[in-house]
């Protein structure tokens, strides 16, 4: 099953972990050279940030691409303006001026993505749910919901039980990784 495959690739990665500012930060280096960095709330183990970096064709390190969470505060690296961003629980599409009734949010099973469109045909956007792609799980319209406030469309997708079980298993694995405080770090495999 794909869920097991993803967990195995996480187990095979070289991991560096540290505790800093109330966050458990874990850096993964995969055998193919890709890097993933995650930040978890130290008390709740909630995923706050997940970002990826890959090397270019010439071996130079690329820019971090944020998959989950918000970009670092101003001054900690400028990633440019983002109009759509996945947080740990939902996606937010900002600067949408139409009332909630104008928006339609649905799942496209064929293309494995969420589709946002307006009845007035002024806005159309498709995006995938990376965790479901990673675990190769089908998308389910009944797990999708949205709200609208302050010119922002907030789209939520309830995590399937398979993803919740995998995240629980990952937390058990991360507890095996020795943590260091911000004055040092610890590696494990």
């Amino acid at each position: 099953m794909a869920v097991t495959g993803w967990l195995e690739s996480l187990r095979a990665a070289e991991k560096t972990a540290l505790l800093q500012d109330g966050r458990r930060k874990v850096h993964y280096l995969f055998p193919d050279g890709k890097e993933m960095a995650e930040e978890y709330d130290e008390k709740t183990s909630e995923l706050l940030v997940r970002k990826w970096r890959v090397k270019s064709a010439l071996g130079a390190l690329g820019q971090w691409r944020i998959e989950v969470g918000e970009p670092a505060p101003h001054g900690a690296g400028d990633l440019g303006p983002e109009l759509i961003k996945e947080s740990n629980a939902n996606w937010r599409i900002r600067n949408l001026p139409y009332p909630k009734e104008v928006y339609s949010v649905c799942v496209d099973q064929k293309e494995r993505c969420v589709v946002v469109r307006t009845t007035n045909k002024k806005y159309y956007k498709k995006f995938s749910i990376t965790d479901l792609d990673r675990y190769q799980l089908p998308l389910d319209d009944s797990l999708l919901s949205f709200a609208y406030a302050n010119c922002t469309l907030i789209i939520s997708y309830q995590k399937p039980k398979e993803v919740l079980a995998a995240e629980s298993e990952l937390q058990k694995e991360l507890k095996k990784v020795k943590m260091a405080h911000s004055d040092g770090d610890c590696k494990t495999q």
Side-chain angles (χ1 to χ4, degrees):
M1 180 178 216
V3 174
T4 306
W6 173 242
L7 287 174
E8 288 304 317
S9 67
L10 290 175
R11 287 183 184 119
E14 182 179 323
K15 294 175 267 310
T16 304
L18 66 91
L19 291 174
Q20 182 180 35
D21 301 327
R23 292 182 174 205
R24 181 176 45 194
K25 299 180 179 186
V26 184
H27 179 268
Y28 300 84
L29 181 58
F30 295 95
D32 63 2
K34 289 182 183 175
E35 295 179 73
M36 180 176 73
E38 294 181 324
E39 296 181 19
Y40 294 90
D41 183 279
E42 186 179 358
K43 292 182 174 108
T44 65
S45 296
E46 178 184 4
L47 177 65
L48 302 172
V49 175
R50 177 183 292 140
K51 54 189 175 180
W52 289 87
R53 180 165 67 176
V54 296
K55 290 184 179 179
S56 71
L58 298 175
L61 291 175
Q63 294 292 319
W64 285 102
R65 184 183 58 80
I66 296 179
E67 179 180 306
V68 175
E70 296 290 327
H74 184 68
D78 186 18
L79 296 175
E82 296 292 334
L83 296 178
I84 181 169
K85 182 58 61 187
E86 179 180 4
S87 75
N88 60 343
N90 54 47
W91 293 261
R92 295 173 185 268
I93 306 175
R94 293 181 169 85
N95 299 323
L96 296 177
Y98 311 109
K100 180 181 179 181
E101 303 78 40
V102 173
Y103 298 99
S104 166
V105 180
C106 62
V107 167
D108 183 339
Q109 294 289 351
K110 191 182 217 180
E111 294 193 34
R112 293 192 46 77
C113 64
V114 174
V115 178
V116 179
R117 61 173 55 102
T118 56
T119 56
N120 62 7
K121 300 185 188 219
K122 299 286 186 184
Y123 186 84
Y124 181 84
K125 179 74 176 176
K126 296 192 304 190
F127 61 91
S128 63
I129 301 177
T130 313
D131 274 344
L132 295 184
D133 289 343
R134 191 174 289 129
Y135 294 123
Q136 297 179 357
L137 295 172
L139 280 79
D140 183 353
D141 249 331
S142 68
L143 300 176
L144 187 65
S145 63
F146 73 97
Y148 180 81
N150 301 321
C151 295
T152 302
L153 191 65
I154 303 164
I155 303 165
S156 299
Y157 190 91
Q158 186 179 350
K159 291 182 181 181
K161 63 182 185 267
E162 296 90 346
V163 173
L164 294 172
E167 287 177 352
S168 175
E169 185 68 28
L170 177 59
Q171 287 303 315
K172 290 176 189 173
E173 287 293 319
L174 290 177
K175 287 182 179 167
K176 295 177 187 175
V177 177
K178 293 185 180 184
M179 293 289 159
H181 292 280
S182 61
D183 56 343
D185 63 325
C186 178
K187 289 188 176 187
T188 185
Q189 287 190 346

